[in-house]
Amino acid sequence: MTSSSSPSQAAQSAFAQNNPEGLRADALMEEDVAWSFEIDGERDGDQFDRSERAALRRVAGLSTELEDVTEVEYRQLRLERVVLVGVWTSGTARDAENSLAELAALAETAGALVLDGVIQRRDKPDAATYIGSGKANELRDIVLESGADTVICDGELSPGQLIHLEDVVKVKVIDRTALILDIFAQHAKSREGKAQVALAQMQYMLPRLRGWGQSLSRQMGGGKGGGLATRGPGETKIETDRRRIREKMAKMRREIADMKTGREIKRQERRRNKVPSVAIAGYTNAGKSSLLNRLTGAGVLVQNELFATLDPTVRRAETPSGRVYTMADTVGFVRHLPHHLVEAFRSTMEEVGDADLILHVVDGSHPAPEEQLAAVREVIRDVGATKVPEIVVINKADAADPLVLQRLMRIEKRSIAVSARSGQGMAELLTLIDDELPRPSVEIEALVPYTHGKLVARAHTEGEVISEEHTPEGTLLKARVHEELAADLAPYVPAATA
């Protein structure tokens, strides 16, 4: 049986012959179309059904999954590649090189990879680009040659110097202050430490905010009626940002003041109980935490890294003669410590000012220990702790040059060489602490009844017991105590002694 074409089919066939492009368009709209060379031969690439076109398709060769386990440590953090720049204005060339070496250690602590370092001799830093326009162009060549993406300057740069130097070298530029603030932000663990670092960062950031594009656009002015009123220029976006930062800084200062109150209460309790205190101060990475662990078993983090511990730690300790005292580990210091940090951490550094004795720890194996001593004493002066007695503890004596140790001990009359790692000199240090801690002013002998045993316990806690004998009438106690406890023991002083 043969089928005859209908008039409509004949019309479609005639239209297809006269307009092949229209037929191809109709065919592409259908889901299932038979392939033909006349229609499909000119298509560019593989053709997919509608469901395949709408589906997610994997693209081969884009996976960055690690094939070698040794790459894991590198892939966790992409290290910035940095070039260091210093301006040598005073001192010897060796001093300038030591300062740049310390900057390199700071950069490595922050997670950067140091590629190169340069020093320029100038009377003072250039007001525009820190190192001068010609040297800035030379620095640009060094950055291009080494492939660095950051330049770190060994000093605190003004906002103008940062902008101008970045315009020349075409990479990010930061200064020593920003680098130290970044390290503190990484290492702060406690709530107070984080608040102090955040305050210091905002103080540093406030004058360095930059406006560009929409940051310089103005908000609508505040006319009387509001709405369509546009009277007055209004605030720019950067001005709004500065106002918000000031508000956050005020809030942060209130929070730090509240935390300071809690620490002050603990301090007053120790004063009320007449417990002497020792503060460990010193340069960063000099071994303060190691010394605290060796003397008290505190278990504080010890790491060969700058500013490894920021939060103060207070532990109870006891002298060889049995006197109880507290020992506090404080934040480490560094040359040119940013003023913002000194102000933000002032409440923490008050532990040094309120101490009865300072153990000033210095790294005996450092190339310039005298500079460490001078830098720490400058900060101690800033927090008003110059009248507190000081013992210079020369740590890492097992790794230090004997001639350097002799020189330091000759210069510093109240000093001792120890090694927190091996325990060398620890017994002598404890004896020295016992001798230097303030002693109670009143020596008393009393026969305390057994019903008033609390007085004997206070004599052990708050004073220094010389002898103790138990008799049928009570405890015959001979001790050095403070005036308040002496008044409480006065009724029990034997008449012959009185």
Side-chain angles (χ1 to χ4, degrees):
M1 180 178 177
T2 61
S3 60
S4 59
S5 299
S6 64
S8 60
Q9 290 175 340
Q12 290 178 2
S13 176
F15 176 78
Q17 292 176 359
N18 297 328
N19 191 0
E21 292 296 325
L23 180 60
R24 185 178 182 220
D26 291 340
L28 288 175
M29 295 298 294
E30 299 178 1
E31 290 189 10
D32 299 322
V33 180
W35 188 90
S36 66
F37 180 80
E38 293 81 2
I39 297 175
D40 300 318
E42 298 179 358
R43 293 180 181 175
D44 50 347
D46 296 334
Q47 302 299 312
F48 299 95
D49 291 339
R50 182 180 300 170
S51 58
E52 293 181 359
R53 290 200 302 268
L56 291 174
R57 286 180 290 154
R58 290 188 178 276
V59 180
L62 296 186
S63 175
T64 57
E65 185 178 359
L66 296 179
E67 298 180 359
D68 187 356
V69 179
T70 59
E71 300 178 20
V72 172
E73 184 177 357
Y74 174 77
R75 289 291 302 278
Q76 286 179 349
L77 175 66
R78 181 187 178 278
L79 299 181
E80 290 192 47
R81 300 163 62 84
V82 303
V83 172
L84 310 179
V85 181
V87 172
W88 169 24
T89 58
S90 61
T92 64
R94 179 70 178 274
D95 296 336
E97 292 173 0
N98 288 339
S99 181
L100 207 67
E102 182 178 274
L103 185 68
L106 289 169
E108 291 175 359
T109 301
L113 179 63
V114 179
L115 302 179
D116 204 349
V118 293
I119 301 174
Q120 186 197 10
R121 183 72 172 93
R122 295 180 65 94
D123 294 334
K124 61 180 181 179
D126 183 67
T129 59
Y130 184 66
I131 55 175
S133 58
K135 297 300 179 184
N137 291 325
E138 292 182 22
L139 178 62
R140 170 61 177 164
D141 296 337
I142 295 175
V143 169
L144 286 174
E145 182 182 352
S146 61
D149 50 30
T150 305
V151 171
I152 304 179
C153 297
D154 191 15
E156 184 167 345
L157 272 62
S158 67
Q161 287 173 325
L162 282 172
I163 294 173
H164 293 149
L165 191 56
E166 279 188 353
D167 288 342
V168 177
V169 299
K170 306 301 181 184
V171 295
K172 180 174 68 175
V173 176
I174 63 173
D175 57 13
R176 185 188 183 95
T177 300
L179 179 62
I180 294 176
L181 287 173
D182 181 74
I183 296 172
F184 271 59
Q186 292 181 40
H187 292 178
K189 303 299 180 185
S190 67
R191 178 169 170 259
E192 183 176 12
K194 291 178 180 178
Q196 290 167 329
V197 173
L199 176 60
Q201 285 180 319
M202 285 186 285
Q203 286 176 320
Y204 175 81
M205 185 195 313
L206 185 60
R208 291 170 173 82
L209 285 180
R210 303 184 191 180
W212 182 81
Q214 293 185 354
S215 296
L216 296 178
S217 61
R218 292 190 182 275
Q219 299 182 6
M220 182 179 292
K224 289 184 178 179
L228 298 178
T230 57
R231 200 169 304 166
E235 280 185 315
T236 61
K237 179 67 167 58
I238 195 170
E239 289 170 344
T240 305
D241 292 341
R242 285 174 179 155
R243 176 167 50 81
R244 288 176 177 171
I245 288 178
R246 291 189 187 99
E247 292 172 355
K248 288 183 179 180
M249 287 170 59
K251 179 182 177 182
M252 205 70 68
R253 288 192 180 99
R254 289 194 297 269
E255 292 180 358
I256 293 174
D258 293 340
M259 300 175 202
K260 177 184 176 182
T261 302
R263 192 169 52 254
E264 182 63 29
I265 291 173
K266 295 179 182 177
R267 226 182 268 135
Q268 290 176 356
E269 183 69 15
R270 294 198 294 267
R271 291 196 201 103
R272 188 178 66 81
N273 293 327
K274 306 297 180 183
V275 179
S277 61
V278 176
I280 303 178
Y283 214 77
T284 180
N285 205 32
K288 298 183 300 300
S289 298
S290 300
L291 186 67
L292 179 69
N293 290 342
R294 173 67 68 171
L295 294 176
T296 66
V300 178
L301 171 68
V302 173
Q303 198 165 345
N304 186 21
E305 192 175 77
L306 304 184
F307 300 113
T309 52
L310 299 181
D311 304 314
T313 304
V314 181
R315 291 291 184 269
R316 180 181 181 276
E318 192 172 315
T319 65
S321 63
R323 300 172 62 197
V324 175
Y325 65 97
T326 60
M327 183 169 286
D329 180 20
T330 60
V331 63
F333 304 145
V334 72
R335 276 181 296 189
H336 313 302
L337 190 67
H339 180 71
H340 311 301
L341 278 177
V342 176
E343 287 299 318
F345 279 79
R346 183 172 292 276
S347 57
T348 303
M349 294 176 182
E350 286 175 358
E351 294 286 351
V352 178
D354 290 339
D356 296 300
L357 179 66
I358 296 176
L359 296 184
H360 185 165
V361 184
V362 61
D363 183 359
S365 62
H366 191 270
E370 292 87 355
E371 293 182 11
Q372 289 192 353
L373 289 168
V376 173
R377 283 170 176 158
E378 182 179 351
V379 180
I380 289 177
R381 281 195 301 271
D382 290 341
V383 298
T386 54
K387 296 183 179 179
V388 181
E390 175 190 72
I391 297 175
V392 176
V393 181
I394 308 170
N395 194 23
K396 305 181 185 181
D398 52 343
D401 185 348
L403 295 178
V404 175
L405 293 179
Q406 292 176 11
R407 186 180 74 240
L408 287 174
M409 296 185 72
R410 185 174 62 253
I411 297 172
E412 301 294 336
K413 303 303 180 184
R414 294 159 55 88
S415 61
I416 183 172
V418 303
S419 172
R421 184 177 65 176
S422 65
Q424 172 188 342
M426 288 298 154
E428 294 82 356
L429 177 59
L430 286 172
T431 303
L432 190 58
I433 293 173
D434 196 359
D435 295 338
E436 294 293 335
L437 281 176
R439 296 183 176 276
S441 56
V442 181
E443 184 173 330
I444 192 171
E445 184 175 351
L447 183 62
V448 184
Y450 291 120
T451 54
H452 292 75
K454 288 184 178 180
L455 292 175
V456 179
R458 285 181 60 190
H460 280 278
T461 304
E462 304 173 16
E464 183 179 354
V465 176
I466 300 173
S467 64
E468 183 179 10
E469 181 182 352
H470 299 288
T471 67
E473 295 79 12
T475 303
L476 183 60
L477 185 70
K478 185 176 182 181
R480 292 189 184 92
V481 295
H482 53 81
E483 295 179 358
E484 183 181 348
L485 182 54
D488 294 338
L489 289 171
Y492 309 108
V493 175
T497 306

